[in-house]
């Protein structure tokens, strides 16, 4: 019940004296008092009734009202029987503390108001509890096994008027009001033409989705079909909001905060509920529904598992609401929803088993030096699983990733494997279908992905070109949230190969991706990636120069310039950078720095004088260029 409802009930004889903007406050109880300090009896949300017997002088009003405001009461109703009218100092004090103030007519007893409030609040609580129980039953009977996360989200929207989304750690929208129709359409197309053996098992929601290729595909198709049936409606979350929510979730889990986590963005306030997997992923029981205990602090129910093992692969449920003042029953309902979504998360993980096994087999063949014909035969098996209906031979690209934690004995390979599977989908993709095209294995501390590339043109019309994955694009939208999850003691490095057309080139692509990852590892930052393009330039050589050599080389060339700049503010270092970036052109460099050419010539002469180098010589230009890159 809200304050506005009390004001609109004529039999209560209430007259509003201040706080019209606060009338949507919720009333959770009622209390009558004339104590000077009633704070010990207040728990928040009460309508306080007072005859003002505590007021002996005007200054008492500010003290009394401040106590009520700090206790979080909903409003104050002051009786007119004692003083005849409400004192102006009390009205002013309530206005200063943003506390709604009502005058109670002397013809209305406080008992009338008390009885009305108690009756209304008690009835609402009973109704809410019954509704929660009923909703919980409905959610359990029509959860992911009967149609995917969108069914649950649709019930949240229709029954609780809550907009919610399921997001991945990178900010990808896994499920939400706007993904249902698209996912349903994809599933309808994939299931209509599917005659693979094991389809019945997949449709039944069994955990045997990883037994064979046909079963895996059928399981995903069945889930997608249910998603489409949900038909949830709504608008997508903007990419910047998804990234902010994912980053806040990762930071909160790393900090050990108890969920739900509150995140305020320019677009609104959201509550974030962790979605943690069950036995198949976490190696133990699922967390308690209310997020308490070890699970709420970022560990599994046994309290022994390091949160970093699943941090970068666990989903989250983002609800467009502030759950800070929710009743325990409603919080329990939302934690129940996360358990249902976790079932779908585990089911999708099981469906990846076939693709992971294929990638592992190809990787072992390549690393042991198997004959190209044998590797090609295995790729022919993998292609229809990853790209059903292609009818041709795809190109392949290799991506290598590594997650490293400081002072940790964690098995890094499986962690990087789960994360790479997520990253290769891309934050702008939704639903499950893009994940089906990715095969990721792990070897030691590395995760290695086989990425099939489909021709952009049909065969016979120019041969069919492909659009390969680029390293910078891979991390453009996800580096910020992932960096917050790595939280100062973790690091993610990725290397991307060029596309190859056949099995003969796969071994070279693997080595190329590994070299690119080592280049990325030599860079500063928590999240770094490098592509094959960088292996054909000096960038490949710089990371492998010993640190002491790098420091000596840069100090010999640049320290004299830095010292001079520090003493004279001459900006010789920025001038040198601009001169090299302008390919030694005096006019372009002068225009770039907004200097007269004579001033530029003076600065370059000073650089040459301090370093003993000649910037008209290619060798000296190259030395300066490398020193700047290594500094």
């Amino acid at each position: 019940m809200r304050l506005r409802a009390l004001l609109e009930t004529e039999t209560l004889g209430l007259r509003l004296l201040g706080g019209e903007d606060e009338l949507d406050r919720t009333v959770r109880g009622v209390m009558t008092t004339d104590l000077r300090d009633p704070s010990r009896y207040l728990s928040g949300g009460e309508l306080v009734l007072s005859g003002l017997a505590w007021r002996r002088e005007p200054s008492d009003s500010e003290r009394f009202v401040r106590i009520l405001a700090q206790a979080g009461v909903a409003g104050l109703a002051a009786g007119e029987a004692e003083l005849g009218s409400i004192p102006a100092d009390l009205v002013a004090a309530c206005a200063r503390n943003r506390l709604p103030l009502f005058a109670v007519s002397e013809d209305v007893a406080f008992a009338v108001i008390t009885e009305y409030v108690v009756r209304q609040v008690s009835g609402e609580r009973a109704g809410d509890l019954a509704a929660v129980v009923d909703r919980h039953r409905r959610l359990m009977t029509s959860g992911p096994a009967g149609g995917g996360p969108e069914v649950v989200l649709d019930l949240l929207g229709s029954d609780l008027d809550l907009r919610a989304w399921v997001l991945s750690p990178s900010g990808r929208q896994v499920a939400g009001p706007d993904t249902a129709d698209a996912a349903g359409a994809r599933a309808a197309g994939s299931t209509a033409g599917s005659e693979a053996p094991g389809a019945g098992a997949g449709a039944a929601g069994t955990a045997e989705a990883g037994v064979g290729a046909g079963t895996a595909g059928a399981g995903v198709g069945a889930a997608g079909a249910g998603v489409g049936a949900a038909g949830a409606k709504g608008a997508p979350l903007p990419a910047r909001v998804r990234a902010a929510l994912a980053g806040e979730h990762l930071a909160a889990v790393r900090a050990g905060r108890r969920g739900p986590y509150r995140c305020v963005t320019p677009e609104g306030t959201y509550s974030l509920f962790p979605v943690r997997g069950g036995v198949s992923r976490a190696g133990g029981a699922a967390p308690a529904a209310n997020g308490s205990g070890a699970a709420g602090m970022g560990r599994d129910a046994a309290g022994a598992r390091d949160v970093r093992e699943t941090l970068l692969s666990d989903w989250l449920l983002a609800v467009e609401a502030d759950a800070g003042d929710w009743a325990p029953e409603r919080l329990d309902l939302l934690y129940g929803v996360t358990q249902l979504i976790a079932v779908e998360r585990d089911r999708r993980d099981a469906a990846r088993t076939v693709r992971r096994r294929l990638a592992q087999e190809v990787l072992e063949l390549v690393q042991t030096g198997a004959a190209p014909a044998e590797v090609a035969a295995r790729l022919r098996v993998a292609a229809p699983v990853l790209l059903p209906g292609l009818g041709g031979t795809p190109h392949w690209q290799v991506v290598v990733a590594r997650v490293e934690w400081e002072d940790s004995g964690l098995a890094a390979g499986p962690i990087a494997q789960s994360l790479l599977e997520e990253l290769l989908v891309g934050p702008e993709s939704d639903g499950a279908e893009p994940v089906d095209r990715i095969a990721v294995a792990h070897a030691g501390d590395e995760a290695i992905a086989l990425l099939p590339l489909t021709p952009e043109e049909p065969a016979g019309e120019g041969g069919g070109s492909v659009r390969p994955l680029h390293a910078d694009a891979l991390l453009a939208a996800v580096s910020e949230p992932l960096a917050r999850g790595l939280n100062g003691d973790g690091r993610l490095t990725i290397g991307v190969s060029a596309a190859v057309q056949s099995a003969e080139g796969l071994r070279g692509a693997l080595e190329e991706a590994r070299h690119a990852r080592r280049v990325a590892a030599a860079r500063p930052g928590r999240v770094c990636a490098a592509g094959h393009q960088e292996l054909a330039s000096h960038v490949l050589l710089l990371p492998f120069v010993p640190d002491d050599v790098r420091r000596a080389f840069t100090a010999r060339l640049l320290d004299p310039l830095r010292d001079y700049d520090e003493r004279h503010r001459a900006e010789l270092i920025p001038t040198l950078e601009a001169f090299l970036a302008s390919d030694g052109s005096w006019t372009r460099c002068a225009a770039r720095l907004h200097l007269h050419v004579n001033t530029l010539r003076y600065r370059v002469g000073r650089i040459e004088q301090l370093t003993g180098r000649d910037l008209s010589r290619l060798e000296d230009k190259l030395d300066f260029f490398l020193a700047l890159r290594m500094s």
Side-chain angles (χ1 to χ4, degrees):
M1 181 181 62
R2 303 190 184 277
L3 287 174
R4 190 180 305 278
L6 295 175
L7 188 64
E8 293 170 352
T9 305
E10 296 181 359
T11 57
L12 300 182
L14 297 178
R15 188 173 74 257
L16 183 64
L17 300 181
E20 184 175 1
D21 295 337
E22 305 291 332
L23 290 180
D24 285 325
R25 291 188 181 187
T26 300
V27 179
R28 297 191 177 90
V30 62
M31 177 186 179
T32 300
T33 183
D34 277 313
L35 294 174
R36 293 172 63 85
D37 182 4
S39 57
R40 73 183 71 179
Y41 305 110
L42 298 171
S43 59
E46 300 92 341
L47 173 68
V48 175
L49 307 176
S50 179
L52 308 184
W54 47 265
R55 183 182 179 277
R56 298 172 186 171
E57 55 186 35
S59 61
D60 290 339
S61 293
E62 179 64 26
R63 179 176 178 275
F64 183 81
V65 171
R66 187 180 296 117
I67 290 172
L68 298 187
Q70 290 175 349
V73 304
L76 170 63
E80 295 179 327
E82 180 73 19
L83 302 177
S85 63
I86 307 304
D89 51 86
L90 179 60
V91 176
C94 287
R96 283 192 295 271
N97 290 275
R98 299 183 63 83
L99 183 67
L101 175 63
F102 302 89
V104 182
S105 171
E106 59 182 341
D107 299 326
V108 178
F110 282 173
V112 174
I113 300 175
T114 300
E115 182 181 357
Y116 180 87
V117 172
V118 169
R119 186 169 62 249
Q120 294 295 317
V121 171
S122 298
E124 288 179 357
R125 285 177 178 167
D128 283 348
L129 182 58
V132 164
V133 173
D134 181 62
R135 287 172 188 139
H136 222 134
R137 177 187 60 78
R138 291 166 57 194
L139 289 173
M140 292 300 292
T141 56
S142 59
E150 282 82 0
V151 173
V152 182
L153 301 185
D154 187 43
L155 282 177
L156 288 179
S158 61
D159 285 23
L160 297 181
D161 196 27
L162 291 176
R163 296 179 70 214
W165 300 262
V166 179
L167 304 179
S168 75
S170 65
R172 178 175 69 91
Q173 183 167 309
V174 177
D178 59 306
T179 60
D181 293 336
R186 285 197 303 265
S190 64
T191 56
S194 176
E195 298 294 337
T206 178
E208 300 296 324
V211 173
T215 309
V220 172
V227 169
K233 299 178 181 179
L237 278 176
R240 64 181 179 279
V241 176
R242 297 199 309 269
L245 297 181
E248 180 62 26
H249 166 255
L250 291 173
V253 173
R254 286 303 312 275
R257 286 163 46 195
R258 194 178 295 272
Y261 316 123
R262 185 171 182 267
C263 182
V264 179
T265 71
E267 287 76 10
T269 300
Y270 298 84
S271 295
L272 312 178
F273 295 80
V275 177
R276 298 192 175 97
V279 174
S280 66
R281 298 180 62 247
N290 62 3
S292 61
M297 295 304 290
R299 291 182 175 269
D300 67 7
R305 184 164 294 274
D306 194 317
V307 68
R308 294 174 295 182
E309 292 187 30
T310 59
L311 171 73
L312 299 177
S313 56
D314 279 338
W315 290 350
L316 67 137
L317 174 66
V319 181
E320 191 179 30
D322 188 348
D325 58 351
W326 282 7
E329 294 86 358
R330 177 170 281 210
L331 285 174
D332 282 344
L333 175 65
L334 266 294
Y335 277 112
V337 168
T338 65
Q339 289 182 330
L340 295 174
I341 296 171
V343 173
E344 172 69 4
R345 179 70 172 96
D346 291 339
R347 191 198 63 75
R348 292 191 186 182
D349 266 356
R352 289 176 175 172
T353 303
V354 171
R355 299 188 296 277
R356 288 178 173 179
R357 186 183 303 140
L358 286 171
Q360 197 74 41
E361 291 173 355
V362 173
L363 175 63
E364 289 174 0
L365 290 174
V366 171
Q367 292 192 130
T368 56
E374 189 176 357
V375 178
R378 180 52 54 185
L379 288 178
R380 283 195 295 272
V381 173
V385 175
L386 301 178
L387 293 172
L390 177 63
T393 302
H395 292 198
W396 297 92
Q397 204 168 5
V398 177
V399 182
V400 174
R402 185 166 182 163
V403 176
E404 299 170 287
W405 301 101
E406 298 174 7
D407 303 323
S408 171
L410 293 175
I415 296 175
Q417 182 182 40
S418 296
L419 178 58
L420 190 55
E421 286 172 331
E422 168 58 38
L423 292 181
L424 291 177
V425 178
E428 298 305 322
S429 301
D430 54 49
E433 187 261 351
V435 184
D436 299 341
R437 300 187 173 190
I438 298 163
V440 184
H442 70 83
D445 291 337
E446 286 183 334
I448 302 166
L450 287 176
L451 190 63
L453 303 174
T454 57
E456 293 182 341
E457 301 175 8
E461 297 180 18
S465 62
V466 297
R467 180 178 297 174
L469 175 72
H470 291 280
D472 51 356
L474 180 61
L475 294 185
V478 302
S479 57
E480 182 179 347
L482 291 179
R484 297 190 67 185
L486 295 167
N487 195 35
D489 66 343
R491 194 141 193 266
L492 167 66
T493 53
I494 295 178
V496 182
S497 78
V500 296
Q501 301 182 34
S502 63
E504 287 83 354
L506 209 54
R507 183 178 181 84
L510 175 59
E511 292 305 315
E512 191 174 57
R514 282 175 165 162
H515 280 307
R517 193 206 63 78
R518 286 193 285 270
V519 170
R523 296 172 176 168
R526 292 289 165 187
V527 182
C528 297
H532 63 93
Q533 304 92 335
E534 301 176 57
L535 303 185
S537 74
H538 66 280
V539 177
L540 173 63
L541 303 177
L542 296 184
F544 305 104
V545 177
D547 288 343
D548 54 346
V549 176
R550 291 159 65 102
R551 284 192 294 269
F553 183 74
T554 57
R556 187 165 58 251
L557 280 176
L558 300 183
D559 279 2
L561 306 183
R562 292 194 181 105
D563 292 342
Y564 192 87
D565 281 348
E566 202 170 307
R567 293 195 310 270
H568 303 284
R569 298 182 180 179
E571 298 187 350
L572 296 185
I573 292 288
T575 301
L576 176 61
E577 291 174 334
F579 186 73
L580 295 175
S582 303
D583 297 325
S585 168
W586 296 100
T587 54
R588 289 207 309 272
C589 183
R592 185 171 186 161
L593 295 174
H594 305 289
L595 297 175
H596 192 277
V597 173
N598 289 342
T599 304
L600 175 61
R601 291 184 182 277
Y602 171 80
R603 289 187 182 181
V604 170
R606 180 65 66 182
I607 292 171
E608 293 175 334
Q609 179 185 5
L610 292 170
T611 60
R613 299 299 187 105
D614 182 357
L615 277 169
S616 65
R617 299 178 66 246
L618 176 61
E619 294 86 346
D620 288 340
K621 286 180 182 177
L622 181 58
D623 284 348
F624 277 123
F625 176 77
L626 292 175
L628 289 169
R629 291 298 298 264
M630 288 191 292
S631 64

